[in-house]
């Protein structure tokens, strides 16, 4: 009887783990850098408009290794960085610059060490910067 109970519990647990992994994959599929936008709340801030990102933040550190492959993605690298920052960093930092706004119509950001910019509502980061940022996150997560 004990063996049957252990077998049933193991089977149930394995389904729950697989279900959680599938959910995380689905949430990551729903991420996109353009779910980020700048807005003025007494100061210029960066907001995330993504229920997928919010859900990943709520799940916590267990999503970290699943997000790492997307950190150098031109479509998801910035938002993946923002999600990881909200999970891992208590006092995250953001700075913005409008220095090039009149001439180039871009807003520059630095969000927890990741520099990127917004032009025409699109968030853009240099490939090399995303790659270097990915390496930093791998080190942080694996400590």
């Amino acid at each position: 009887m004990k063996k049957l109970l252990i077998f049933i519990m193991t089977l149930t647990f394995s389904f729950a783990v697989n279900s959680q992994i599938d959910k995380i994959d689905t949430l990551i599929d729903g991420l996109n850098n353009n779910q980020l936008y700048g807005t003025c709340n007494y100061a210029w801030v960066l907001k995330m408009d993504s229920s997928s990102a919010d859900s990943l933040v709520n799940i916590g550190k267990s999503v970290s290794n699943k997000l790492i492959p997307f950190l150098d993605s031109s479509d998801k690298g910035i938002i993946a960085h923002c999600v990881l920052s909200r999970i891992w960093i208590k006092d995250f930092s953001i700075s913005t610059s409008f220095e090039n706004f009149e001439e180039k119509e871009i807003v520059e950001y630095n969000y927890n060490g990741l520099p990127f910019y917004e032009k025409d509502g699109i968030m853009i980061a240099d490939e090399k910067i995303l790659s270097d940022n990915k390496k930093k996150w791998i080190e942080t997560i694996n400590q």
Side-chain angles (χ1 to χ4, degrees):
M1 183 67 164
K2 256 186 175 178
K3 289 181 181 181
L4 180 60
L5 184 60
I6 290 171
F7 175 74
I8 291 171
M9 288 177 64
T10 303
L11 194 59
T12 303
F13 178 72
S14 68
F15 284 128
V17 169
N18 285 336
S19 174
Q20 180 75 358
I21 290 169
D22 291 343
K23 178 181 178 184
I24 291 169
D25 290 340
T26 300
L27 292 170
I28 291 171
D29 285 344
L31 293 179
N32 187 293
N33 287 341
N34 294 324
Q35 294 167 330
L36 298 167
Y37 65 95
T39 188
C40 188
N41 291 353
Y42 301 107
W44 197 258
V45 295
L46 187 66
K47 297 261 185 168
M48 262 193 307
D49 185 20
S50 171
S51 59
S52 294
D54 293 339
S55 295
L56 290 166
V57 170
N58 288 332
I59 292 170
K61 290 182 178 181
S62 64
V63 304
S64 300
N65 286 325
K66 288 279 202 174
L67 284 170
I68 286 174
F70 299 97
L71 285 166
D72 56 0
S73 162
S74 61
D75 295 331
K76 297 180 187 218
I78 300 169
I79 197 164
H81 172 79
C82 292
V83 169
L84 288 170
S85 292
R86 291 189 181 188
I87 293 170
W88 285 85
I89 301 172
K90 290 181 183 178
D91 297 320
F92 54 88
S93 65
I94 182 171
S95 63
T96 56
S97 171
F98 290 88
E99 187 175 307
N100 292 312
F101 188 74
E102 281 188 37
E103 185 179 323
K104 299 179 183 178
E105 296 183 357
I106 65 172
V107 179
E108 297 168 289
Y109 297 89
N110 190 310
Y111 190 86
N112 288 327
L114 178 65
F116 59 96
Y117 64 94
E118 178 179 8
K119 180 164 178 68
D120 299 326
I122 298 171
M123 299 296 178
I124 303 165
D126 180 69
E127 283 182 33
K128 171 84 168 99
I129 289 171
L130 288 172
S131 179
D132 291 345
N133 186 57
K134 180 178 182 177
K135 291 174 189 171
K136 289 178 192 174
W137 273 113
I138 291 169
E139 290 175 15
T140 299
I141 291 168
N142 292 324
Q143 285 181 352

